[in-house]
Amino acid sequence: MANNTADHPPGNSVAEGNHDGDFGCKLMELRELMELRSAEAVAKLRDMYGDVQSVCRRLKTSPIEGLSGNPVDLEKRHAAFGKNFIPPKKPKTFLQLVWEALQDVTLIILEIAAIISLGLSFYHPQGNDSNVCGQVSGGVEDEGEAQAGWIEGAAILFSVIIVVLVTAFNDWSKEKQFRGLQSRIEQEQKFTVIRNGQVIQIPVAEIVVGDIAQIKYGDLLPADGILIQGNDLKIDESSLTGESDQVRKSLEKDPMLLSGTHVMEGSGRMVVTAVGLNSQTGIIFTLLGAGGEEEEKKVKKGETVRKKQGAPENRNKAKTQDGVALEIQPLKSEEGVESEEKEEKVVKKVNVTKKEKSVLQGKLTRLAVQIGKAGLIMSAVTVIILILYFVIDTFGVQGREWKAECTPIYIQYFVKFFIIGVTVLVVAVPEGLPLAVTISLAYSVKKMMKDNNLVRHLDACETMGNATAICSDKTGTLTMNRMTVVQAYVGDTHYKTVPEPEAIKPQTLELMVNSISINSAYTTKILPPEREGGLPRHVGNKTECALLGLVMDLKRDYQPIRDEVPEEKLYKVYTFNSSRKSMSTVLKNADGSGFRMYSKGASEIVLRKCSHILDAAGQPRAFKPKDRDEMVRKVIEPMACDGLRTICVATRDFVGAEPDWDNEADILNNLTCICVVGIEDPVRPEVPEAIAKCQKAGITVRMVTGDNINTARAIATKCGILLPGEDFLCLEGKEFNQQIRNDKGEVEQERLDKVWPKLRVLARSSPTDKHTLVKGIIDSTVGETRQVVAVTGDGTNDGPALKKADVGFAMGIAGTDVAKEASDIILTDDNFTSIVKAVMWGRNVYDSISKFLQFQLTVNVVAVIVAFTGACITQDSPLKAVQMLWVNLIMDTLASLALATEPPTEALLLRKPYGRDKPLISRTMMKNILGHAVYQLVVTFTLLFAGERFFNIDSGRNSPLHAPPSEHYTIIFNVFVMMQLFNEINARKIHGERNVFEGVYRNPIFCSVVLGTFALQFISAVPTHRLKFLKEAGHGITKEEIQQEEQTEDVDEIDHAEMELRRGQILWFRGLNRIQTQIKVVNAFRSSLYEGLEKPESRSSIHNFMSHPEFMPHAEEEVRVPTIEESSAEIELLPSTSASPSKGGGTPPDSSLHTRKPSM
């Protein structure tokens, strides 16, 4: 039979859930059957089971009623044939992410330097006290500093660990978020099945073997199955075979339907035979270890590549990747028919564009490479200068020799220089940048969900901010997609409103109602409103819903007619597609005398095929070309100018021998026009304002539609796409192709460049036209900036344009699975206003990253110059490696959080887009960076070279190896950090605004980060002994408390005179103690003078004086108060002993003072 309907025995009831025994088909048998194609599959099916009906019987299901839906039965099927679920690949563990983060080259360099530094800090070579090796350390360090050499190495390692953990955690949370997103997309994916005679939609995961699934144009098949009944069914199997040709499916030739393939045309029903891991998709997943990049979506585009790699027999055929081929097929339209080779070239180009980085990523990568190179050169120069300076000074100026015992000391110097070099590199590389980008994108994606933008690809978010052009569909995006018939032309009369049924001849009305009811998808219905007073619900194709609404307005009902002519009785169906722009259904007459065909479609296309029209009496009369021209002028154009979509309903009777149904040109001809209706689809009320915002923001909105040019022009004017008095082009697809193609039919970029800048409306366009236009605009070099194009689409054939565009928007409600697959962002409300919000968020992301760049580069410029100059002049970087890591970690990580989470404002839409070529750092930003850098450098260098005089402290310059931290350099570090902190506030504005505090309270994250950073810096940099306000805890008993206790105990025994005497004794002892201490100081000082004569280099060190035995408190020393005689004897000794050094000899002072036992 021509319509591919399988005969089914009468009385085939719903399969019961309580049947006994196993199913009549084995799992492996079905699996093997599904691996076959075409005639081979048909033969095998016949040999094994007979026909599809036998398969249904063995699977205990009914081809008409489907499964009963009994939970026991469903569970049995799950147990026997598995669930329709492919387990996802395990996510990377946190440790794997940590390992990946550790692969960063800069971090590896730092780790090596830190480990070397750490190792050498524990090595204390002999002979440090001799001056043979030069000035190694400033004398003997105090005990704390002597052991603190390891701190720098350890701190660098610690900082590296924190950076790695932060990066790994960020990646982990990002992956978790997107797994959640994937599962949400998966849960939303539903499929139509028949259960218990009812057509219902169930989640894909709930489909079981034996289910009867309804398939239609645009579907992505969720399981393997065998066709029961099909109408003009064409499937794209390129995801499995790599062949871009569509495969026509029929019961006689090829009834096998495979999961992961796309329905490109037609409709039908299939019985599900394999699900989950047993389906063709699942088998390939199993071969590849059940997973891949987009594993949670069982039938998503990631499989395309896997399938090609996994199925050996298809490997040679695989010509395309990422399933792009599915959307590109030779369109047999009159305009622009391209050969298969050209199509494949387009496919390859589409792939290339999708693999390119986004606009921002490209710019950031180039910038990072430039900064990295500059940093590397600076750090290399720093190290070379330091080493040369040291070598020339030590071996040239001082004339020392390299001795074996000095080698470790010199290595320590070289490691110190290397660490300074690495510090310069660390400072130069803005490693906070990737973090800022990720935070900004993740934050925006989360917020965009609330604005009805479901972002599938992260980079689409910021690319949208650069968009210079939007090519939008009309239906559903700019209009409400709630269609109603408002005008009609029936029986030679043009009705401006829907006519009363009495006004139409009964036979015309009958024909019209039958044609509309039967010649539309049976899945299209009008359901009662969900709540009282609401509008009826339109389910399915909206244009067909409008026609069914007309039937109801004419006081008729379509359902009894459909019940009388079920889908199985439809003899042949020519489904709607973009090249036909019409739909036709053939019925066999009840008496078997012939066939009747009902048609409907775009009025100017269907009228061209009409040879007759029904007159006022309901009788057909001749319809000549001049009649058609007059009708177009008097009926169709006025309707279109009112913004109505015109649909023509026609019929044809075939008498005698059965015609060749595959010869479409003959079949769809000699039609009789029944009526022409005008369908209104009102413009969404918020769209004109949204388009005006786009135009202010420098974005050109173009409408690309399949509608009549007059309808398109009227809607475009209502929306504000066409403005009165402006020179814009409105073209039809045919005319567009004539203007852009040469004599050979090839698209020429030069010709296209003359058309697209003024083009605003492209009507009667095919998907190929849409793809050509998008590609042409993206590839064009005309104009000041390269164009960044966003495209909206809902149909299967919009796939190529959605993929080619920089950002593809699919409709969440009206969109087909194929369109959603090809898109970057899904509009969950199908509304153009949501696109404007996406532009706002995209620009905000771009600005956030620019803000962070301005901040980061100022830090980098200043720190690199300070580290480089300081190292070259003072032999040491004023900003230590640990301090720079602190700045990088705390300032950059937190600053990226603060600046990347600024909420967007309407002001973002008041400036032109950046475009593809504009540099990331604008002139204003460069002025801000350099201006602030100069200010910071002046302050830093003033402190570096004159700070000790301002604050009356010791200079920290030219300090030797392992010298302790100085107050001088700590001040520089604190001032540097504070300048960055306040510059963070400056960085909030990058377009030259004066008020940097504007809207600061709207971002609590920013406020808390700035205050938190300040607090952290304060805690880390202020010495503890300066924090007087911090109370100590766990004291011993104080002297005052002892005195008070003694007083309370002895209050009865001691009179006032005794108390005065005791107080006097205490004062006397204190005085003697003070004198004793002063004597020790003098002795120690005199002793250090002796040593100073022998060891000149130790004179500069206060540590020698502080560490002298005279000054060291002895634990075993008993506290005693010397007698006055002893004290005076010591004082008398002073003049004679202090004079002795001048005579060149002298003995050290008597140390018996420390060891003498008390004589009291």
Side-chain angles (χ1 to χ4, degrees):
M1 276 176 81
N3 82 323
N4 308 320
T5 307
D7 288 322
H8 53 86
N12 195 358
S13 61
V14 175
E16 290 303 322
N18 58 357
H19 49 67
D20 297 322
D22 290 321
F23 299 98
C25 305
K26 288 184 181 165
L27 176 65
M28 293 315 291
E29 281 176 9
L30 290 171
R31 261 179 74 155
E32 285 164 20
L33 179 64
M34 294 316 297
E35 282 171 10
L36 303 174
R37 306 278 179 279
S38 309
E40 203 181 346
V42 175
K44 180 88 170 174
L45 180 64
R46 202 180 301 117
D47 295 346
M48 285 176 71
Y49 304 111
D51 60 5
V52 187
Q53 298 302 321
S54 305
V55 176
C56 290
R57 278 193 294 274
R58 289 186 181 211
L59 288 173
K60 300 181 180 174
T61 184
S62 157
I64 305 297
E65 305 274 308
L67 296 174
S68 64
N70 183 325
V72 178
D73 177 40
L74 296 179
E75 200 49 54
K76 259 188 186 173
R77 289 173 193 275
H78 281 151
F81 302 106
K83 294 187 177 183
N84 196 23
F85 174 70
I86 296 170
K89 182 181 157 193
K90 283 183 182 173
K92 285 179 181 167
T93 63
F94 187 71
L95 287 175
Q96 284 172 309
L97 292 169
V98 165
W99 178 246
E100 278 179 19
L102 277 168
Q103 308 305 307
D104 185 75
V105 182
T106 319
L107 289 180
I108 291 169
I109 295 171
L110 268 177
E111 287 157 23
I112 294 166
I115 290 163
I116 294 171
S117 167
L118 200 59
L120 288 169
S121 69
F122 293 117
Y123 177 76
H124 297 294
Q126 296 301 311
N128 250 10
D129 50 341
S130 72
N131 58 0
V132 193
C133 305
Q135 185 187 24
V136 175
S137 65
V140 183
E141 296 152 327
D142 69 26
E143 218 164 319
E145 287 300 332
Q147 304 303 320
W150 60 272
I151 287 176
E152 186 162 31
I156 293 174
L157 282 179
F158 179 67
S159 303
V160 166
I161 289 165
I162 292 177
V163 169
V164 165
L165 289 175
V166 167
T167 312
F169 177 76
N170 202 44
D171 288 345
W172 178 78
S173 56
K174 185 172 75 177
E175 188 167 307
K176 186 180 168 193
Q177 183 183 352
F178 278 90
R179 276 179 179 269
L181 192 65
Q182 293 288 58
S183 62
R184 176 179 163 170
I185 290 171
E186 189 180 77
Q187 282 159 13
E188 283 182 358
Q189 196 192 353
K190 295 193 171 176
F191 209 77
T192 310
V193 297
I194 301 169
R195 283 195 181 167
N196 218 357
Q198 298 291 314
V199 177
I200 57 167
Q201 283 206 324
I202 60 169
V204 164
E206 289 177 20
I207 292 173
V208 293
V209 170
D211 258 325
I212 305 298
Q214 281 198 343
I215 54 175
K216 64 182 187 306
Y217 154 86
D219 279 346
L220 193 143
L221 299 184
D224 294 353
I226 302 171
L227 187 68
I228 297 174
Q229 174 260 325
N231 304 318
D232 196 24
L233 197 60
K234 287 183 188 169
I235 304 283
D236 187 314
E237 293 187 348
S238 58
S239 57
L240 280 175
T241 63
E243 292 290 345
S244 57
D245 289 346
Q246 289 171 25
V247 182
R248 190 182 283 276
K249 295 287 178 180
S250 65
L251 282 165
E252 298 80 28
K253 291 181 182 170
D254 187 358
M256 299 303 180
L257 300 168
L258 307 171
S259 60
T261 59
H262 295 88
V263 182
M264 301 309 283
E265 273 185 39
S267 60
R269 289 202 319 275
M270 72 169 187
V271 57
V272 175
T273 54
V275 292
L277 290 170
N278 299 308
S279 66
Q280 292 303 295
T281 303
I283 291 166
I284 290 156
F285 266 72
T286 313
L287 290 173
L288 294 168
E293 285 163 14
E294 292 192 64
E295 67 294 326
E296 290 199 3
K297 295 196 262 175
K298 287 177 274 307
V299 280
K300 299 296 183 188
K301 70 180 171 192
E303 292 163 20
T304 350
V305 181
R306 295 181 204 120
K307 284 170 183 156
K308 287 171 212 149
Q309 294 163 344
E313 70 274 13
N314 296 328
R315 238 175 245 159
N316 300 330
K317 296 180 186 173
K319 294 172 187 163
T320 55
Q321 288 184 333
D322 266 7
V324 182
L326 359 156
E327 291 85 22
I328 295 194
Q329 71 284 347
L331 293 163
K332 297 179 177 59
S333 54
E334 294 163 47
E335 58 271 354
V337 178
E338 295 188 9
S339 69
E340 198 178 321
E341 290 83 28
K342 284 180 206 155
E343 290 289 345
E344 284 182 3
K345 278 180 199 165
V346 174
V347 171
K348 282 169 190 165
K349 279 181 187 170
V350 171
N351 282 324
V352 170
T353 55
K354 272 298 165 191
K355 282 175 189 159
E356 281 175 7
K357 289 188 173 78
S358 72
V359 179
L360 182 64
Q361 273 178 318
K363 289 180 181 179
L364 283 175
T365 307
R366 285 194 293 277
L367 183 72
V369 168
Q370 289 164 356
I371 292 171
K373 283 178 183 170
L376 206 59
I377 292 164
M378 288 289 274
S379 64
V381 169
T382 308
V383 173
I384 291 164
I385 289 175
L386 284 170
I387 290 172
L388 287 175
Y389 187 103
F390 174 76
V391 169
I392 292 165
D393 182 55
T394 309
F395 304 115
V397 178
Q398 295 181 26
R400 299 182 191 280
E401 291 177 18
W402 186 298
K403 295 191 175 175
E405 65 267 23
C406 295
T407 303
I409 294 163
Y410 295 146
I411 287 173
Q412 278 184 305
Y413 265 110
F414 292 145
V415 168
K416 178 185 173 185
F417 299 152
F418 180 66
I419 287 176
I420 290 169
V422 173
T423 306
V424 172
L425 181 62
V426 169
V427 172
V429 176
E431 61 273 15
L433 202 52
L435 192 63
V437 174
T438 310
I439 289 174
S440 185
L441 289 176
Y443 173 76
S444 301
V445 165
K446 217 168 186 179
K447 295 285 185 184
M448 282 170 79
M449 294 274 277
K450 292 177 185 171
D451 287 340
N452 304 309
N453 285 284
L454 182 67
V455 181
R456 294 182 68 244
H457 300 132
L458 256 184
D459 53 5
C461 181
E462 46 86 1
T463 308
M464 201 53 219
N466 286 306
T468 56
I470 298 173
C471 294
S472 173
D473 271 355
K474 175 182 79 71
T475 309
T477 312
L478 300 173
T479 60
M480 292 173 78
N481 204 14
R482 183 171 185 89
M483 302 199 187
T484 43
V485 173
V486 290
Q487 293 186 27
Y489 180 87
V490 192
D492 291 339
T493 311
H494 184 175
Y495 297 95
K496 292 286 185 178
T497 55
V498 176
E500 291 297 319
E502 296 78 33
I504 304 169
K505 284 284 179 216
Q507 62 265 41
T508 306
L509 184 62
E510 194 65 31
L511 206 52
M512 189 168 142
V513 169
N514 282 353
S515 178
I516 291 170
S517 303
I518 292 166
N519 184 33
S520 56
Y522 278 27
T523 49
T524 301
K525 295 172 185 164
I526 293 182
L527 301 177
E530 284 180 328
R531 58 179 181 273
E532 278 187 53
L535 292 166
R537 283 181 295 149
H538 287 187
V539 178
N541 184 294
K542 302 298 186 222
T543 308
E544 290 180 349
C545 284
L547 292 169
L548 293 176
L550 173 66
V551 170
M552 296 172 86
D553 289 343
L554 292 167
K555 312 286 190 288
R556 295 299 179 95
D557 190 0
Y558 60 88
Q559 198 55 50
I561 299 168
R562 286 183 173 181
D563 294 342
E564 198 181 314
V565 186
E567 267 188 291
E568 293 73 41
K569 284 191 181 175
L570 305 180
Y571 194 82
K572 172 77 181 167
V573 180
Y574 297 95
T575 51
F576 179 90
N577 68 24
S578 53
S579 53
R580 276 192 200 120
K581 293 213 182 317
S582 67
M583 175 182 177
S584 306
T585 303
V586 181
L587 292 179
K588 194 168 188 175
N589 291 340
D591 56 5
S593 58
F595 302 91
R596 170 167 284 184
M597 180 175 78
Y598 296 116
S599 287
K600 70 167 189 287
S603 54
E604 59 265 51
I605 288 171
V606 176
L607 282 175
R608 219 178 284 147
K609 294 169 181 174
C610 288
S611 58
H612 293 80
I613 187 167
L614 296 182
D615 60 15
Q619 297 303 313
R621 63 173 165 82
F623 188 63
K624 298 190 176 71
K626 68 173 180 20
D627 297 331
R628 186 177 70 236
D629 294 342
E630 188 183 354
M631 188 167 171
V632 167
R633 195 173 64 253
K634 289 187 173 175
V635 178
I636 291 169
E637 281 186 3
M639 280 187 183
C641 290
D642 289 340
L644 305 183
R645 170 184 278 190
T646 54
I647 299 288
C648 176
V649 180
T651 184
R652 179 182 177 184
D653 286 322
F654 295 91
V655 184
E658 186 173 340
D660 176 9
W661 298 112
D662 289 335
N663 187 354
E664 267 187 61
D666 287 349
I667 300 292
L668 299 178
N669 217 337
N670 292 323
L671 304 175
T672 302
C673 173
I674 302 170
C675 66
V676 172
V677 296
I679 297 175
E680 181 184 48
D681 185 8
V683 171
R684 288 178 182 266
E686 65 273 21
V687 162
E689 189 192 347
I691 286 176
K693 279 182 185 174
C694 282
Q695 287 161 345
K696 270 187 201 162
I699 300 167
T700 307
V701 181
R702 293 179 175 83
M703 182 199 285
V704 183
T705 177
D707 258 350
N708 171 310
I709 190 157
N710 293 318
T711 309
R713 193 184 277 121
I715 297 285
T717 309
K718 283 181 187 173
C719 290
I721 292 172
L722 293 177
L723 301 170
E726 293 198 22
D727 180 23
F728 290 135
L729 279 177
C730 293
L731 295 177
E732 281 196 338
K734 201 172 183 180
E735 197 183 343
F736 172 69
N737 276 288
Q738 284 167 357
Q739 292 194 23
I740 64 166
R741 292 178 190 272
N742 60 18
D743 302 337
K744 295 175 188 170
E746 294 166 342
V747 177
E748 284 187 0
Q749 187 65 43
E750 288 171 26
R751 288 175 177 235
L752 192 56
D753 286 344
K754 289 174 187 168
V755 175
W756 74 257
K758 286 189 176 180
L759 184 71
R760 290 295 176 273
V761 175
L762 185 58
R764 285 278 174 250
S765 67
S766 71
T768 316
D769 298 337
K770 195 172 189 177
H771 180 266
T772 307
L773 175 65
V774 171
K775 183 179 178 299
I777 296 176
I778 289 173
D779 293 347
S780 175
T781 50
V782 176
E784 294 172 19
T785 57
R786 293 273 308 283
Q787 298 283 309
V788 177
V789 183
V791 168
T792 69
D794 54 4
T796 300
N797 291 315
D798 288 326
L802 288 170
K803 269 210 173 295
K804 177 66 195 173
D806 293 293
V807 181
F809 285 91
M811 301 295 131
I813 301 166
T816 60
D817 291 343
V818 181
K820 288 176 187 174
E821 262 321 289
S823 70
D824 300 295
I825 298 176
I826 295 171
L827 295 176
T828 52
D829 63 346
D830 290 12
N831 193 336
F832 187 84
T833 316
S834 301
I835 300 175
V836 180
K837 286 179 180 166
V839 171
M840 214 157 83
W841 274 107
R843 290 190 174 189
N844 192 54
V845 167
Y846 202 95
D847 273 11
S848 295
I849 289 158
S850 296
K851 287 171 190 175
F852 179 72
L853 259 180
Q854 179 176 305
F855 169 75
Q856 173 87 65
L857 291 180
T858 311
V859 179
N860 290 5
V861 167
V862 175
V864 167
I865 294 173
V866 167
F868 175 75
T869 317
C872 295
I873 295 172
T874 69
Q875 282 281 289
D876 191 9
S877 168
L879 300 168
K880 299 285 187 288
V882 180
Q883 292 174 337
M884 282 327 305
L885 280 168
W886 168 259
V887 169
N888 261 359
L889 188 78
I890 301 300
M891 299 296 289
D892 297 1
T893 308
L894 291 177
S896 63
L897 186 66
L899 293 169
T901 53
E902 288 267 332
T905 59
E906 289 282 333
L908 289 165
L909 295 173
L910 299 177
R911 59 173 174 76
K912 298 284 177 273
Y914 287 124
R916 204 179 283 273
D917 298 331
K918 197 169 180 199
L920 203 54
I921 300 166
S922 65
R923 286 203 174 103
T924 312
M925 284 171 66
M926 190 57 85
K927 180 189 75 180
N928 292 348
I929 291 167
L930 295 178
H932 218 279
V934 168
Y935 155 70
Q936 290 191 17
L937 286 170
V938 168
V939 172
T940 309
F941 283 137
T942 306
L943 286 175
L944 180 59
F945 296 111
E948 70 273 23
R949 290 200 289 281
F950 289 145
F951 297 103
N952 194 22
I953 51 175
D954 291 339
S955 169
R957 295 189 302 281
N958 298 317
S959 57
L961 193 66
H962 296 320
S966 62
E967 278 188 337
H968 184 193
Y969 277 14
T970 307
I971 287 171
I972 292 172
F973 172 56
N974 275 319
V975 169
F976 176 75
V977 170
M978 286 304 148
M979 286 194 295
Q980 304 322 320
L981 197 57
F982 289 106
N983 190 32
E984 199 172 317
I985 298 169
N986 287 336
R988 289 186 69 245
K989 303 293 175 188
I990 52 169
H991 298 295
E993 299 95 329
R994 292 270 176 257
N995 183 7
V996 291
F997 294 101
E998 186 190 350
V1000 75
Y1001 299 117
R1002 287 199 308 128
N1003 188 358
I1005 297 176
F1006 182 86
C1007 298
S1008 51
V1009 162
V1010 169
L1011 294 172
T1013 311
F1014 181 83
L1016 277 169
Q1017 180 61 27
F1018 184 78
I1019 292 162
S1020 67
V1022 179
T1024 320
H1025 66 82
R1026 292 284 170 87
L1027 304 176
K1028 303 286 189 194
F1029 62 88
L1030 293 178
K1031 301 291 182 195
E1032 293 167 319
H1035 289 288
I1037 300 169
T1038 61
K1039 288 177 183 175
E1040 287 79 3
E1041 285 171 348
I1042 292 171
Q1043 286 173 21
Q1044 280 176 4
E1045 279 177 25
E1046 285 176 353
Q1047 282 177 17
T1048 50
E1049 282 171 18
D1050 304 341
V1051 73
D1052 301 327
E1053 301 163 23
I1054 302 174
D1055 61 12
H1056 289 288
E1058 273 186 275
M1059 280 175 69
E1060 285 299 323
L1061 182 60
R1062 184 168 290 186
R1063 196 171 288 152
Q1065 284 175 334
I1066 289 167
L1067 288 171
W1068 172 245
F1069 288 146
R1070 273 190 196 156
L1072 288 177
N1073 264 336
R1074 196 155 290 167
I1075 292 167
Q1076 186 184 17
T1077 307
Q1078 284 168 352
I1079 290 164
K1080 285 184 188 177
V1081 170
V1082 171
N1083 288 341
F1085 186 72
R1086 199 178 65 204
S1087 151
S1088 70
L1089 281 178
Y1090 280 131
E1091 289 181 8
L1093 289 172
E1094 293 163 22
K1095 251 195 274 180
E1097 80 270 12
S1098 61
R1099 255 177 303 188
S1100 63
S1101 173
I1102 187 120
H1103 296 299
N1104 256 357
F1105 168 60
M1106 293 294 283
S1107 60
H1108 195 273
E1110 282 292 344
F1111 204 74
M1112 296 289 278
H1114 285 245
E1116 67 274 5
E1117 181 182 343
E1118 292 182 30
V1119 180
R1120 63 179 286 276
V1121 181
T1123 59
I1124 292 170
E1125 289 81 17
E1126 285 173 343
S1127 300
S1128 56
E1130 290 279 359
I1131 292 163
E1132 280 167 18
L1133 277 169
L1134 283 176
S1136 58
T1137 48
S1138 59
S1140 52
S1142 59
K1143 294 169 187 170
T1147 54
D1150 184 14
S1151 62
S1152 59
L1153 191 65
H1154 292 281
T1155 52
R1156 235 177 337 212
K1157 295 280 179 225
S1159 54
M1160 289 172 83

